[in-house]
Amino acid sequence: MAHTFLLSFRGRLEGELRDLGADVRVTSPAQMSRPWTVRAARTGLSVAFSEADFDVAICHSAWSRAVFGPVVLRRGHPLVFWQHSASERQHLLDRFARRIPVCHTICNSHYTETVQMRREPGGAT
């Protein structure tokens, strides 16, 4: 199994992944308040999909699910959401991201899964 990481920013994480020998792709930075930057980042993901054969895409935040999820689904790939933490607060971005359907959700604990299932009752886990 080979992993490819798509980041929309440069920095420490990119360097550490590269030092480990990971395949890292970097799109242009995206800000939800600037739709043209989101479009450019989505184009970067489309290019990455064209350059390599991917089986699944995993989004690690509501932000990445909202920004990149539509591209993943449009290209016909399964989309997985990795819920790293549970928060009872719901932000606008969380509600926006939930409009992007996922085939599976990975949760870091039973508590996180319980909160996630309350937020997204029909969501897959």
Side-chain angles (χ1 to χ4, degrees):
M1 178 179 351
H3 295 93
T4 298
F5 297 87
L6 178 77
L7 305 174
S8 59
F9 54 88
R10 296 195 172 276
R12 180 178 169 188
L13 178 60
E14 176 194 10
E16 290 178 359
L17 289 169
R18 288 189 193 281
D19 288 347
L20 293 170
D23 179 12
V24 179
R25 318 277 173 108
V26 181
T27 68
S28 57
Q31 295 180 5
M32 296 298 275
S33 62
R34 293 180 170 81
W36 61 91
T37 65
V38 173
R39 192 173 323 112
R42 287 177 174 170
T43 299
L45 177 59
S46 288
V47 168
F49 275 131
S50 298
E51 293 175 349
D53 186 29
F54 294 96
D55 296 318
V56 65
I58 302 173
C59 291
H60 288 263
S61 69
W63 180 87
S64 61
R65 180 178 174 183
V67 171
F68 297 114
V71 175
V72 174
L73 297 178
R74 197 169 34 249
R75 298 206 46 118
H77 294 285
L79 178 63
V80 173
F81 180 56
W82 192 314
Q83 182 67 41
H84 289 272
S85 63
S87 172
E88 294 294 335
R89 287 185 64 192
Q90 293 192 30
H91 299 278
L92 179 61
L93 185 58
D94 294 313
R95 290 190 291 266
F96 183 70
R98 281 197 307 272
R99 295 189 324 191
I100 314 299
V102 297
C103 63
H104 296 287
T105 300
I106 300 169
C107 298
N108 67 339
S109 70
H110 291 293
Y111 174 73
T112 301
E113 180 181 20
T114 301
V115 171
Q116 181 66 19
M117 292 307 292
R118 275 199 306 262
R119 283 188 192 156
E120 211 169 341
T125 56

